[in-house]
């Protein structure tokens, strides 16, 4: 079924309208995701800031405990106790430990127990606990105690549960690692959650002399979590803190049921939440903070998390491994975005309808012109490339398309003509290459026969001569193949074009050919008024180097050899010139010197490809090359012109010429 152009255009605009609607729908989804990320990032910052506050608070509290392990009085008390115990025999120490442990657990008061609880060390510990409690408004440390290196209690802020401490995990950790950071536990004496922290005491020689333990109340953290809920702008906010194993530490009132009017839900403390979606995904993410979207039973939840990371100055000592997680109902968080999404979808439907209507109007207006364009194309298809086109008002896109189509046909004919010329050039190139490669092959073949005869006759000198000639022919062939390969690469392997200061390029070339210049005592003179050209720096340097080397090679017996390099700036092109006072070129030979393998002096070194390579490089740059010479013995001037480009910079400030050797 064939459709008229108007119908096709209408259907096309309909498809465009549908595509616009689909793209709008997709864009809105992307917008929603971006908005979710933006909201998530904002909430990330809030939760991360809260966790940073927790970290600072906990770290500062823990550092307060370090006052003890650094206090000289604690070390003195520990040393006195250690000396006293060291004077006892092992049996005496064990008897004292066992009897005092029994009295301590039974709650009996003995002179030793009264001495421990009333000595100067216990007084220091009690004073420190009371002072910190007054500063914070609650019992910051619920308990601080000190044990000697024999594992027995020597001072405490209050009566503890045990006298013997070396069977406790915290004491063993201090003995082996010098510190211990316990998990969160419920402290019944203060009705709060706390963490046990212990550090080793050392003598002047750095030897273990005992340990100090403090039970840190984390009520501040619970207050902070509750504060997050009260200041949140989302009613669905709920937050909870878990340890490194995913067990619940504390939560906001909205997260878990309130118990007995208390903010800290003890029945939920220690509950394993590691299998919960938010906790599991946050722990598996490997990130310090971030947000994730969770879908559970058709309900979407935005979860934001932040890990407890120790301060840089304490990378290992205070790594609690906690994670603060806050959850929000996605519908509440994204309600404004989704409302905007519905409005934009409606607007995109209206835009689609307008696009279809505009398509119908446009199709009717251009179908006539398309018909005339079709007729013109049919005439061109009959090879009638001289078909006259209908004149149209300026700015008419359809008629511009017609003229462009006709211009394309003319360009196609021109390209075909150029292709035929290239094919003819390729045929000549193939013939020339096969002819010049055949010559060394014939030489090799001929001398192989002579070599066989000389070997049979035992003529050693003739064999050496034949081998040398075969080697020379092979070297000649290798040089030809190398130069041909380099010629074939021009136009295929090009560096990105750039602005090139011709003065710098000439200086590079003169440095490369400094050896031949000195060997033949050639004077060089470079104009200081050299412009900037635009092209492949490597290839242009290669072309200029070939011209300079060619001038040196054909300098002849000139007593004062000289090479001059300058450039002329025109409106459309820059002409570079390399002038020498060498042997010169006969006018009859000037037209063919750029041909492949064309050497005017067959006895000279080289393969005859150098000038052909230069010509190819210049042509790739859309330039032209020629030679000027008044005849033999009158020197030569090789010129190549490169088109001026818009990117070509202004030439350097003119100055005097600088001769060099």
């Amino acid at each position: 079924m064939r459709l008229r152009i108007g119908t096709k255009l209408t259907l096309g605009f309909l498809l465009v309208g549908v595509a616009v609607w689909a793209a709008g729908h997709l864009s809105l989804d992307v917008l929603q995701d971006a908005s979710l990320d933006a909201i998530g990032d904002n909430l990330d910052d809030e939760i991360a800031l809260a966790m940073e506050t927790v970290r600072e608070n906990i770290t500062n509290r823990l550092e307060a405990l370090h006052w003890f392990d650094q206090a000289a009085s604690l070390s003195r008390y520990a040393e006195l106790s250690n000396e006293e115990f060291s004077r006892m025999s092992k049996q005496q120490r064990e008897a004292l430990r066992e009897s005092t442990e029994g009295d301590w657990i039974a709650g009996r008061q003995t002179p030793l127990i009264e001495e421990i609880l009333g000595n100067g060390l216990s007084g220091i510990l009690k004073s420190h606990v009371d002072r910190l409690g007054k500063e914070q408004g609650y019992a910051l440390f619920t308990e601080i105690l000190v044990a000697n290196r024999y594992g027995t209690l020597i001072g405490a802020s209050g009566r503890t549960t045990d006298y013997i401490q070396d069977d406790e995990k915290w004491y063993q950790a201090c003995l082996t690692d010098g510190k211990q950071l316990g998990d969160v536990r419920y402290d019944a004496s203060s009705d709060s959650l706390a963490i046990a922290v212990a550090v080793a005491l050392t003598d002047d020689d750095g030897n273990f002399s005992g340990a100090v333990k403090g039970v840190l109340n984390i009520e501040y953290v619970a207050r902070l979590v509750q504060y997050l809920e009260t200041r949140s702008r989302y009613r669905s906010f709920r937050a909870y803190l878990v340890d490194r194993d995913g067990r619940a530490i504390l939560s906001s009132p909205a997260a878990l049921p309130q118990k007995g009017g208390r903010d800290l839900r003890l029945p939920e403390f220690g509950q394993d939440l590691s299998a919960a979606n938010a906790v599991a995904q946050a722990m598996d993410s490997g990130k310090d903070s971030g947000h994730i979207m969770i879908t559970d039973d058709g309900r979407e939840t935005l979860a934001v998390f932040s890990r407890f990371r120790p301060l840089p100055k304490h990378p290992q000592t205070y790594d609690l491994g906690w994670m603060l997680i806050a959850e929000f109902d996605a519908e509440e968080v994204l309600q404004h975005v989704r409302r905007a999404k519905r409005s934009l979808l409606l607007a995109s439907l209206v835009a689609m309808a307008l696009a279809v209507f505009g398509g119908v109007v446009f199709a009717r207006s251009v179908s006539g012109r398309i018909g005339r364009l079709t007729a013109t194309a049919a005439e061109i298809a009959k090879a009638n490339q001289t078909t006259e086109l209908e004149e149209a008002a300026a700015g008419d896109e359809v008629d511009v398309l017609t003229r462009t189509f006709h211009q394309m046909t003319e360009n196609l004919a021109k390209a075909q003509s150029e292709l035929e010329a290239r094919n003819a050039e390729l045929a000549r190139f193939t013939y020339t290459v096969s002819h010049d490669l055949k010559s060394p092959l014939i030489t090799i073949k001929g001398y192989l026969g002579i070599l066989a005869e000389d070997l049979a006759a035992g003529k050693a000198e003739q064999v050496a001569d034949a081998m040398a000639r075969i080697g020379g022919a092979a070297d000649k062939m290798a040089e030809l193949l190398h130069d041909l390969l380099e010629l074939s690469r021009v136009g295929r392997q090009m560096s990105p074009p750039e602005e090139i200061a011709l003065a710098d390029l000439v200086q590079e070339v003169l440095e490369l050919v400094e050896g031949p210049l000195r060997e033949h005592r050639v004077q060089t003179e470079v104009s200081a008024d050299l412009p900037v050209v635009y092209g492949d720096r490597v290839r242009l340097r290669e072309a200029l180097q070939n011209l300079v080397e060619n001038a040196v090679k054909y300098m002849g017996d000139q007593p004062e050899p000289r090479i001059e390099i300058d450039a002329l700036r025109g409106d459309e092109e820059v002409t570079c010139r390399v002038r020498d006072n060498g042997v010169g070129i006969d006018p009859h030979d000037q037209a063919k010197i750029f041909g492949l393998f064309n050497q005017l002096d067959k006895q000279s070194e080289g393969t005859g490809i150098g000038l052909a390579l230069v010509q190819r490089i210049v042509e790739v740059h859309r330039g032209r090359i020629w030679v000027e010479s008044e005849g033999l013995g009158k020197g030569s001037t090789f010129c190549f012109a490169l088109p001026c480009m818009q990117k070509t910079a202004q030439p350097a400030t003119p100055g005097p010429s600088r001769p060099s050797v």
Side-chain angles (χ1 to χ4, degrees), residues 477-496:
M477 182 180 293
E479 187 178 4
L480 283 171
L481 291 174
H482 174 271
D483 289 350
L484 285 172
L485 179 61
E486 188 64 26
L487 180 63
S488 68
R489 288 174 176 166
V490 177
R492 294 186 299 109
Q493 296 183 2
M494 301 288 288
S495 302

Side-chain angles (χ1 to χ4, degrees), residues 518-578:
R518 289 186 178 275
E519 180 181 353
H520 294 84
R521 301 188 305 280
V522 178
Q523 297 285 331
T524 60
E525 184 174 345
V526 181
S527 172
D529 189 15
L530 293 179
V532 174
V533 295
Y534 189 76
D536 183 339
R537 186 183 193 91
V538 175
R539 291 300 183 187
L540 290 179
R541 181 175 59 209
E542 186 177 3
L544 195 57
Q545 181 178 346
N546 265 287
L547 293 179
V548 174
E549 289 177 340
N550 195 66
V552 175
K553 184 193 303 184
Y554 293 102
M555 191 60 69
D557 298 329
Q558 177 60 247
E560 296 181 358
R562 186 179 71 258
I563 296 176
E564 300 175 3
I565 301 175
D566 62 7
L568 300 176
R569 295 186 300 274
D571 294 335
E572 298 182 355
E573 60 184 11
V574 176
T575 302
C576 305
R577 301 186 300 185
V578 179

Side-chain angles (χ1 to χ4, degrees), residues 213-268:
K213 171 192 173 185
V215 180
L216 177 63
N217 186 345
I218 61 170
E219 180 179 342
Y220 172 82
V221 181
R223 292 179 180 179
L224 178 63
V225 174
Q226 183 177 4
Y227 172 72
L228 288 175
E229 181 194 22
T230 58
R231 69 182 298 271
S232 176
R233 60 182 178 277
Y234 299 110
R235 298 179 58 187
S236 59
F237 173 89
R238 51 197 177 277
Y240 45 92
L241 189 69
V242 298
D243 63 15
R244 67 178 75 250
D245 297 320
R247 295 189 300 267
I249 298 175
L250 48 85
S251 63
S252 65
L256 297 171
Q258 194 166 352
K259 192 76 171 179
R262 298 179 64 251
D263 293 336
L264 186 63
R265 256 68 55 213
L266 300 180
E268 288 78 18

